[in-house]
Structure formats: structure tokens, C-alpha cells
Amino acid sequence: MNIVLIGPQGSGKSTQGKLISDNFGMPYISTGDMFREIMTGTDEFSISIKKMMDEGALIDDETTNKIVRQHLERGKYYKGFVVDGYPRSVNQSMSAPFVLDIILHIRVPESISIERLLKRGRWDDNEVNIRKRLSLYNQETAPIIEYWRKHDKVVDIDGVGGVDEIHQLIYEKITNLINGN
Ligand code: ADP
């Protein structure tokens, strides 16, 4: 079973994704991590990826799909995985190189997102970049939820609260889905 995490920046996708990974024994993958790794290279491609990330822009779909496909081909993912950061647009969701079984939608208000990201302070978390990423989220990523809701794939989670409390909500929902309830 493949679980796709969707939520704005700062909604806790990576924190919750890793907890799902630990507690359900499924690998966690993140396109952000893949691109941050690529970005450390010195070739032209790596430099172009770093520039896009620095600007808070999205990497093009063709490159992103290719990176995800290659990543999946290299590891043991046939039993399912939890994915963070992909798909990031309806187009990516329709051309994904895997089946989207569950879309776990973590909702948080924008004020909380911004507050958490500024506290996190990752290299690309400056206020201009954050606003741009959040606006791209609203324009490009959020429509994935409405699209896949029609196919009954979406599970909504309230992402405001403590890490353990939110994990508990997610744990119950996933367990019910696994058991066919
Ligand atoms: P955040 O959710 O805070 O933006 P991520 O680690 O998910 O952090 O992504 C960091 C950056 O990596 C994005 O701003 C974007 O440039 C790039 N990126 C990650 N996933 C994708 C994707 N699916 N499509 C295009 N670009 C992506």
C-alpha cells in the first residue's frame, strides 16, 4: 500500500511520514530529500536544481518523475511506501510511476505553517521563499486533493496539535483502512 502525504509546507509531513514508516514498517521517501542530495553535486544539473530550490520554484515534472522512478527502481518498494513531497501537481499525480492508494491530507492554517517553518530555519526557509512555496502549494498541489477526493482516495487529518497526538489520529485511520473498515 502506497501512502501519499499532502499538506502545505510546515504541516508536519516529514515528521509524520517517518513515524508512519517506523510504526507500519514501510519505507519513507521524500523528493525534497532526493533533490537536496542531488543539489550537493557540482555538475550543471545539480547547480540548476539548487537554483530552483533556492528560488522556491518547482522542479519540472519530467525531471521529477524520472528521479522518483529511478529511486523506486533501486530500492525495495514493492510492498508499499510512504511518500512526502510528491506528487506536487495534478499532472504529477496523474503521471506518477506508482499507484496512489491513500492520500493523507494534513491540514494546517497558513499562519501555523509559516510559524513552524521560520522556527525550523532550513536553508531555503526565508520568508520570501516560504510565501512562494505556500502559494505554489495552493495553486498546484492543493487541487490534487479535490481531484482524488472524487476517487475516494483522500483521508483528512487535522495537523494542528502535538506530534504524538496527530500520529495517533493517522495511525487509527491507516489501521482501519488496512483492515478494510
Ligand atoms: P517543502 O515542502 O518545505 O517545500 P520539500 O523538502 O518537500 O520542502 O521540497 C523542497 C524543494 O524541492 C521544493 O521547494 C522544490 O523546489 C523541490 N521539490 C520537491 N518535491 C518536488 C516535486 N514533487 N516537484 C517539483 N519540485 C519538487
Side-chain angles (χ1 to χ4, degrees), residues 30-53 59-60 62-71 74 123:
S30 147
T31 44
D33 288 350
M34 293 175 205
F35 288 132
R36 273 185 289 280
E37 161 125 33
I38 291 171
M39 177 190 100
T40 59
T42 49
D43 55 300
E44 214 172 296
F45 175 64
S46 300
I47 293 165
S48 73
I49 297 285
K50 178 160 191 333
K51 185 167 177 286
M52 297 293 282
M53 292 176 85
I59 317 300
D60 68 277
E62 200 187 325
T63 304
T64 306
N65 285 347
K66 189 170 143 205
I67 298 291
V68 172
R69 196 179 324 109
Q70 287 176 345
H71 189 93
R74 286 191 198 124
W123 70 282

Tab-separated table of all heavy atoms in Angstrom, residues 30-53 59-60 62-71 74 123:
chain	number	residue	atom	x	y	z
A	30	SER	N	11.225	10.897	0.178
A	30	SER	CA	10.921	12.322	0.072
A	30	SER	C	11.633	12.907	-1.143
A	30	SER	O	12.850	12.764	-1.271
A	30	SER	CB	11.387	13.012	1.361
A	30	SER	OG	11.834	14.331	1.119
A	31	THR	N	10.863	13.524	-2.042
A	31	THR	CA	11.513	14.131	-3.212
A	31	THR	C	12.372	15.323	-2.793
A	31	THR	O	13.392	15.592	-3.410
A	31	THR	CB	10.479	14.572	-4.284
A	31	THR	OG1	9.388	15.231	-3.636
A	31	THR	CG2	9.965	13.374	-5.056
A	32	GLY	N	11.961	16.009	-1.721
A	32	GLY	CA	12.792	17.109	-1.213
A	32	GLY	C	14.176	16.576	-0.839
A	32	GLY	O	15.206	17.165	-1.199
A	33	ASP	N	14.212	15.428	-0.131
A	33	ASP	CA	15.498	14.814	0.245
A	33	ASP	C	16.281	14.413	-1.004
A	33	ASP	O	17.498	14.583	-1.061
A	33	ASP	CB	15.281	13.565	1.117
A	33	ASP	CG	14.808	13.905	2.524
A	33	ASP	OD1	14.836	15.103	2.885
A	33	ASP	OD2	14.402	12.979	3.259
A	34	MET	N	15.570	13.863	-1.994
A	34	MET	CA	16.277	13.453	-3.224
A	34	MET	C	16.928	14.670	-3.881
A	34	MET	O	18.093	14.630	-4.271
A	34	MET	CB	15.289	12.816	-4.229
A	34	MET	CG	14.720	11.488	-3.766
A	34	MET	SD	13.459	10.894	-4.951
A	34	MET	CE	12.487	9.845	-3.871
A	35	PHE	N	16.177	15.756	-3.980
A	35	PHE	CA	16.726	16.957	-4.628
A	35	PHE	C	17.826	17.609	-3.786
A	35	PHE	O	18.789	18.139	-4.329
A	35	PHE	CB	15.618	17.962	-4.966
A	35	PHE	CG	14.749	17.525	-6.103
A	35	PHE	CD1	13.362	17.570	-6.012
A	35	PHE	CD2	15.312	17.060	-7.288
A	35	PHE	CE1	12.554	17.155	-7.069
A	35	PHE	CE2	14.522	16.646	-8.361
A	35	PHE	CZ	13.138	16.694	-8.246
A	36	ARG	N	17.668	17.564	-2.458
A	36	ARG	CA	18.733	18.143	-1.604
A	36	ARG	C	20.027	17.355	-1.761
A	36	ARG	O	21.114	17.919	-1.710
A	36	ARG	CB	18.295	18.190	-0.134
A	36	ARG	CG	17.519	19.474	0.197
A	36	ARG	CD	17.176	19.583	1.670
A	36	ARG	NE	16.161	18.625	2.053
A	36	ARG	CZ	14.851	18.786	1.845
A	36	ARG	NH1	14.408	19.897	1.287
A	36	ARG	NH2	13.988	17.864	2.216
A	37	GLU	N	19.908	16.068	-2.007
A	37	GLU	CA	21.097	15.247	-2.232
A	37	GLU	C	21.734	15.593	-3.590
A	37	GLU	O	22.940	15.802	-3.690
A	37	GLU	CB	20.681	13.776	-2.147
A	37	GLU	CG	21.665	12.834	-2.785
A	37	GLU	CD	22.136	11.750	-1.848
A	37	GLU	OE1	21.337	11.335	-0.995
A	37	GLU	OE2	23.306	11.330	-1.997
A	38	ILE	N	20.882	15.674	-4.615
A	38	ILE	CA	21.373	15.993	-5.963
A	38	ILE	C	22.078	17.347	-5.968
A	38	ILE	O	23.133	17.529	-6.570
A	38	ILE	CB	20.191	16.006	-6.974
A	38	ILE	CG1	19.656	14.586	-7.161
A	38	ILE	CG2	20.588	16.647	-8.302
A	38	ILE	CD1	18.376	14.506	-7.961
A	39	MET	N	21.490	18.285	-5.246
A	39	MET	CA	21.966	19.664	-5.184
A	39	MET	C	23.413	19.800	-4.692
A	39	MET	O	24.066	20.795	-4.956
A	39	MET	CB	20.997	20.330	-4.193
A	39	MET	CG	21.182	21.709	-3.826
A	39	MET	SD	20.047	22.008	-2.440
A	39	MET	CE	21.202	21.889	-1.072
A	40	THR	N	23.899	18.788	-3.971
A	40	THR	CA	25.259	18.880	-3.441
A	40	THR	C	26.312	18.628	-4.527
A	40	THR	O	27.497	18.873	-4.303
A	40	THR	CB	25.500	17.862	-2.295
A	40	THR	OG1	25.267	16.551	-2.826
A	40	THR	CG2	24.575	18.103	-1.122
A	41	GLY	N	25.893	18.152	-5.702
A	41	GLY	CA	26.848	17.912	-6.785
A	41	GLY	C	27.347	19.213	-7.397
A	41	GLY	O	26.824	20.297	-7.089
A	42	THR	N	28.344	19.090	-8.248
A	42	THR	CA	28.937	20.310	-8.832
A	42	THR	C	28.672	20.406	-10.341
A	42	THR	O	29.103	21.352	-10.984
A	42	THR	CB	30.461	20.342	-8.589
A	42	THR	OG1	30.988	19.063	-8.981
A	42	THR	CG2	30.802	20.586	-7.133
A	43	ASP	N	27.983	19.411	-10.882
A	43	ASP	CA	27.689	19.436	-12.329
A	43	ASP	C	26.546	20.416	-12.622
A	43	ASP	O	25.879	20.906	-11.710
A	43	ASP	CB	27.328	18.023	-12.793
A	43	ASP	CG	26.192	17.444	-11.982
A	43	ASP	OD1	26.352	17.310	-10.733
A	43	ASP	OD2	25.137	17.174	-12.557
A	44	GLU	N	26.346	20.643	-13.925
A	44	GLU	CA	25.357	21.634	-14.357
A	44	GLU	C	23.947	21.306	-13.856
A	44	GLU	O	23.209	22.190	-13.421
A	44	GLU	CB	25.360	21.637	-15.889
A	44	GLU	CG	25.100	23.000	-16.483
A	44	GLU	CD	25.309	22.951	-17.987
A	44	GLU	OE1	26.462	22.694	-18.416
A	44	GLU	OE2	24.311	23.105	-18.706
A	45	PHE	N	23.600	20.021	-13.919
A	45	PHE	CA	22.265	19.590	-13.494
A	45	PHE	C	22.045	19.909	-12.004
A	45	PHE	O	21.033	20.504	-11.625
A	45	PHE	CB	22.096	18.093	-13.766
A	45	PHE	CG	20.809	17.509	-13.266
A	45	PHE	CD1	19.589	17.935	-13.784
A	45	PHE	CD2	20.808	16.519	-12.283
A	45	PHE	CE1	18.389	17.396	-13.329
A	45	PHE	CE2	19.613	15.972	-11.823
A	45	PHE	CZ	18.411	16.413	-12.346
A	46	SER	N	23.045	19.546	-11.173
A	46	SER	CA	22.935	19.799	-9.725
A	46	SER	C	22.789	21.292	-9.445
A	46	SER	O	21.974	21.702	-8.602
A	46	SER	CB	24.189	19.294	-9.007
A	46	SER	OG	24.342	17.917	-9.228
A	47	ILE	N	23.564	22.084	-10.173
A	47	ILE	CA	23.516	23.531	-9.962
A	47	ILE	C	22.145	24.088	-10.356
A	47	ILE	O	21.579	24.931	-9.652
A	47	ILE	CB	24.670	24.228	-10.731
A	47	ILE	CG1	26.016	23.819	-10.089
A	47	ILE	CG2	24.520	25.752	-10.729
A	47	ILE	CD1	27.238	24.117	-10.929
A	48	SER	N	21.573	23.558	-11.436
A	48	SER	CA	20.255	24.046	-11.858
A	48	SER	C	19.179	23.650	-10.840
A	48	SER	O	18.269	24.425	-10.556
A	48	SER	CB	19.908	23.547	-13.264
A	48	SER	OG	19.594	22.175	-13.226
A	49	ILE	N	19.312	22.478	-10.239
A	49	ILE	CA	18.349	22.051	-9.206
A	49	ILE	C	18.466	22.968	-7.988
A	49	ILE	O	17.466	23.449	-7.442
A	49	ILE	CB	18.600	20.576	-8.776
A	49	ILE	CG1	18.379	19.605	-9.940
A	49	ILE	CG2	17.773	20.186	-7.555
A	49	ILE	CD1	16.949	19.335	-10.333
A	50	LYS	N	19.696	23.249	-7.584
A	50	LYS	CA	19.902	24.106	-6.409
A	50	LYS	C	19.279	25.482	-6.635
A	50	LYS	O	18.644	26.050	-5.751
A	50	LYS	CB	21.393	24.241	-6.088
A	50	LYS	CG	21.656	25.154	-4.901
A	50	LYS	CD	23.007	24.912	-4.293
A	50	LYS	CE	23.282	25.577	-2.965
A	50	LYS	NZ	22.614	26.786	-2.615
A	51	LYS	N	19.457	25.999	-7.844
A	51	LYS	CA	18.930	27.324	-8.168
A	51	LYS	C	17.398	27.331	-8.048
A	51	LYS	O	16.825	28.250	-7.449
A	51	LYS	CB	19.363	27.702	-9.591
A	51	LYS	CG	18.983	29.091	-10.000
A	51	LYS	CD	19.722	29.508	-11.278
A	51	LYS	CE	19.293	30.887	-11.753
A	51	LYS	NZ	17.952	30.882	-12.361
A	52	MET	N	16.764	26.302	-8.576
A	52	MET	CA	15.292	26.217	-8.496
A	52	MET	C	14.831	26.161	-7.041
A	52	MET	O	13.867	26.818	-6.659
A	52	MET	CB	14.783	24.948	-9.209
A	52	MET	CG	15.065	24.877	-10.681
A	52	MET	SD	14.159	26.101	-11.615
A	52	MET	CE	12.562	25.325	-11.667
A	53	MET	N	15.532	25.371	-6.230
A	53	MET	CA	15.140	25.215	-4.830
A	53	MET	C	15.361	26.510	-4.059
A	53	MET	O	14.557	26.898	-3.223
A	53	MET	CB	15.913	24.069	-4.184
A	53	MET	CG	15.513	22.729	-4.763
A	53	MET	SD	16.477	21.375	-4.105
A	53	MET	CE	15.579	20.998	-2.601
A	59	ILE	N	10.695	21.938	-9.452
A	59	ILE	CA	11.485	21.287	-10.496
A	59	ILE	C	10.469	20.777	-11.532
A	59	ILE	O	9.366	20.390	-11.166
A	59	ILE	CB	12.296	20.096	-9.909
A	59	ILE	CG1	12.953	20.441	-8.563
A	59	ILE	CG2	13.290	19.543	-10.915
A	59	ILE	CD1	13.935	21.573	-8.553
A	60	ASP	N	10.855	20.783	-12.808
A	60	ASP	CA	9.878	20.397	-13.835
A	60	ASP	C	9.418	18.937	-13.663
A	60	ASP	O	10.150	18.098	-13.124
A	60	ASP	CB	10.456	20.633	-15.244
A	60	ASP	CG	11.594	19.681	-15.529
A	60	ASP	OD1	12.739	19.959	-15.111
A	60	ASP	OD2	11.331	18.640	-16.127
A	62	GLU	N	8.964	16.448	-15.728
A	62	GLU	CA	9.694	15.371	-16.404
A	62	GLU	C	10.889	14.919	-15.558
A	62	GLU	O	11.086	13.722	-15.311
A	62	GLU	CB	10.159	15.872	-17.770
A	62	GLU	CG	10.478	14.763	-18.730
A	62	GLU	CD	11.093	15.287	-20.017
A	62	GLU	OE1	10.693	16.387	-20.466
A	62	GLU	OE2	12.001	14.616	-20.542
A	63	THR	N	11.663	15.905	-15.091
A	63	THR	CA	12.827	15.596	-14.240
A	63	THR	C	12.363	14.919	-12.957
A	63	THR	O	12.922	13.892	-12.541
A	63	THR	CB	13.594	16.897	-13.885
A	63	THR	OG1	13.941	17.548	-15.092
A	63	THR	CG2	14.817	16.625	-13.045
A	64	THR	N	11.329	15.479	-12.326
A	64	THR	CA	10.866	14.949	-11.051
A	64	THR	C	10.377	13.512	-11.204
A	64	THR	O	10.759	12.630	-10.427
A	64	THR	CB	9.738	15.836	-10.483
A	64	THR	OG1	10.217	17.179	-10.426
A	64	THR	CG2	9.316	15.392	-9.101
A	65	ASN	N	9.564	13.253	-12.225
A	65	ASN	CA	9.056	11.890	-12.425
A	65	ASN	C	10.191	10.904	-12.652
A	65	ASN	O	10.167	9.778	-12.156
A	65	ASN	CB	8.086	11.843	-13.613
A	65	ASN	CG	6.732	12.440	-13.269
A	65	ASN	OD1	6.423	12.667	-12.102
A	65	ASN	ND2	5.922	12.717	-14.271
A	66	LYS	N	11.200	11.365	-13.382
A	66	LYS	CA	12.340	10.493	-13.672
A	66	LYS	C	13.112	10.151	-12.387
A	66	LYS	O	13.464	8.984	-12.146
A	66	LYS	CB	13.251	11.198	-14.679
A	66	LYS	CG	14.343	10.318	-15.218
A	66	LYS	CD	15.048	10.990	-16.371
A	66	LYS	CE	16.528	10.668	-16.320
A	66	LYS	NZ	17.325	11.681	-16.976
A	67	ILE	N	13.321	11.170	-11.554
A	67	ILE	CA	14.052	10.956	-10.292
A	67	ILE	C	13.287	9.962	-9.401
A	67	ILE	O	13.874	9.061	-8.809
A	67	ILE	CB	14.228	12.317	-9.547
A	67	ILE	CG1	15.051	13.307	-10.380
A	67	ILE	CG2	14.784	12.150	-8.136
A	67	ILE	CD1	16.485	12.966	-10.553
A	68	VAL	N	11.977	10.136	-9.339
A	68	VAL	CA	11.155	9.253	-8.498
A	68	VAL	C	11.194	7.824	-9.054
A	68	VAL	O	11.396	6.858	-8.312
A	68	VAL	CB	9.687	9.765	-8.420
A	68	VAL	CG1	8.787	8.757	-7.706
A	68	VAL	CG2	9.635	11.108	-7.702
A	69	ARG	N	11.047	7.706	-10.363
A	69	ARG	CA	11.033	6.365	-10.986
A	69	ARG	C	12.358	5.652	-10.719
A	69	ARG	O	12.389	4.496	-10.307
A	69	ARG	CB	10.770	6.495	-12.489
A	69	ARG	CG	10.352	5.187	-13.119
A	69	ARG	CD	10.056	5.272	-14.620
A	69	ARG	NE	9.435	6.494	-15.052
A	69	ARG	CZ	10.041	7.437	-15.778
A	69	ARG	NH1	11.294	7.303	-16.151
A	69	ARG	NH2	9.398	8.521	-16.137
A	70	GLN	N	13.453	6.375	-10.915
A	70	GLN	CA	14.776	5.763	-10.700
A	70	GLN	C	14.948	5.347	-9.243
A	70	GLN	O	15.483	4.286	-8.943
A	70	GLN	CB	15.884	6.744	-11.082
A	70	GLN	CG	15.995	6.912	-12.589
A	70	GLN	CD	17.031	7.960	-12.979
A	70	GLN	OE1	17.466	8.760	-12.146
A	70	GLN	NE2	17.413	7.966	-14.243
A	71	HIS	N	14.480	6.208	-8.333
A	71	HIS	CA	14.602	5.909	-6.907
A	71	HIS	C	13.835	4.617	-6.578
A	71	HIS	O	14.340	3.740	-5.874
A	71	HIS	CB	14.064	7.081	-6.092
A	71	HIS	CG	14.346	6.969	-4.633
A	71	HIS	ND1	15.452	7.527	-4.050
A	71	HIS	CD2	13.683	6.322	-3.642
A	71	HIS	CE1	15.448	7.237	-2.759
A	71	HIS	NE2	14.387	6.515	-2.489
A	74	ARG	N	15.435	1.371	-7.619
A	74	ARG	CA	16.649	0.946	-6.907
A	74	ARG	C	16.393	0.299	-5.556
A	74	ARG	O	17.272	-0.367	-5.013
A	74	ARG	CB	17.567	2.154	-6.711
A	74	ARG	CG	18.211	2.526	-8.014
A	74	ARG	CD	19.321	3.531	-7.813
A	74	ARG	NE	19.617	4.156	-9.081
A	74	ARG	CZ	19.601	5.451	-9.314
A	74	ARG	NH1	19.321	6.287	-8.343
A	74	ARG	NH2	19.880	5.921	-10.506
A	123	TRP	N	17.812	25.908	5.172
A	123	TRP	CA	18.460	26.915	4.344
A	123	TRP	C	17.507	27.638	3.389
A	123	TRP	O	17.701	28.802	3.063
A	123	TRP	CB	19.635	26.300	3.565
A	123	TRP	CG	19.154	25.364	2.489
A	123	TRP	CD1	18.719	24.085	2.671
A	123	TRP	CD2	18.999	25.645	1.104
A	123	TRP	NE1	18.316	23.556	1.472
A	123	TRP	CE2	18.477	24.486	0.491
A	123	TRP	CE3	19.274	26.772	0.306
A	123	TRP	CZ2	18.202	24.419	-0.870
A	123	TRP	CZ3	19.001	26.693	-1.048
A	123	TRP	CH2	18.460	25.532	-1.625
